[in-house]
Amino acid sequence: MPKRPAEHAEVMRERILEGGRRAFIAGGFRGTSVPSIAAEAGVSVGLIYRYFPSKEELFLELCISGTPAELEELAENLAPIDDPVERLTVAIDSYFDALLQAIGAPLVLQALAAAPADERIRQALRRRGDDLRGFSAAFVQDAIVRGELPADADVDEIAAATTMLLDGALVAVAEQGEALDRDEVRDRVVRTVVAASGLHAAAR
């Protein structure tokens, strides 16, 4: 059965995004052209412009796509975990899963490099940061409800600091590449968050 127009449009959009992801990672933001994206995606240049008005808009979509849905799914997976340190460890592991995939570290690192000269990219990074801070704040609030943090814990401060630590992992990815010891970096972030926030198992 032929795909309906809406289904076909979604398939083509995802095809373009995947081609754009490969092209940007290979050529960098500045070195990637719309024709090179079209070649990677196996579509015409004109078709790309039907879905994205510019190379920049496609790049921005790649930097922020999927984040809210992924964070919502992660929150559902964390809810049954009783031990707060284990819950935090699983959360950061999930962040690394996304970070080390093609959509994660390389594109965000490129966005960070391009941001000083491009307000649209700064906006995309702010949206991404808002998503991460929002998730971190929800984690902290849940820990307060569970009795794992004091009721007067500064939710916004802990969430902001945790997000900065998570994005600092991008630097580790860039510096260490294949030599990156993921577990070591994760455990350092966990230890820092636990020490700074006072996160602990609730009294039984």
Side-chain angles (χ1 to χ4, degrees), residues 2-183:
K3 288 185 174 66
R4 290 176 295 181
E7 292 175 342
H8 177 73
E10 184 60 26
V11 168
M12 294 310 299
R13 188 174 185 278
E14 289 302 316
R15 184 172 173 178
I16 292 168
L17 284 169
E18 183 58 35
R21 182 182 297 113
R22 293 194 300 268
F24 283 123
I25 290 172
F29 175 71
R30 300 296 180 195
T32 298
S33 64
V34 173
S36 66
I37 294 170
E40 280 287 348
V43 300
S44 68
V45 169
L47 185 64
I48 289 180
Y49 283 119
R50 285 179 56 187
Y51 289 86
F52 299 95
S54 66
K55 175 184 81 169
E56 288 78 8
E57 291 299 323
L58 197 161
F59 182 75
L60 297 182
E61 179 68 17
L62 285 169
C63 287
I64 62 177
S65 63
T67 300
E70 290 167 359
L71 293 177
E72 183 177 348
E73 181 181 357
L74 175 57
E76 293 175 357
N77 293 337
L78 294 177
I81 301 175
D82 290 329
D83 182 80
V85 177
E86 179 185 353
R87 198 162 62 249
L88 179 62
T89 301
V90 172
I92 294 174
D93 254 338
S94 298
Y95 175 80
F96 269 93
D97 285 341
L99 186 67
L100 298 176
Q101 290 171 356
I103 194 172
L107 291 180
V108 177
L109 285 167
Q110 288 184 34
L112 289 170
D118 195 318
E119 173 60 23
R120 288 173 298 180
I121 293 178
R122 289 198 296 275
Q123 290 175 358
L125 287 172
R126 284 195 290 268
R127 288 171 60 187
R128 176 181 172 274
D130 288 344
D131 287 335
L132 287 174
R133 282 187 294 276
F135 176 82
S136 297
F139 185 100
V140 173
Q141 289 167 340
D142 181 55
I144 292 172
V145 170
R146 292 173 185 246
E148 300 159 351
L149 285 172
D152 61 351
D154 191 328
V155 175
D156 291 338
E157 187 72 17
I158 296 172
T162 301
T163 300
M164 291 176 187
L165 284 171
L166 291 175
D167 271 349
L170 287 167
V171 177
V173 171
E175 286 178 345
Q176 300 178 36
E178 293 182 0
L180 177 74
D181 186 332
R182 166 181 164 154
D183 290 347

Side-chain angles (χ1 to χ4, degrees), residues 85 88 189-200:
V85 177
L88 179 62
V189 174
V190 169
R191 288 194 298 269
T192 301
V193 172
V194 169
S197 66
L199 186 68
H200 62 275

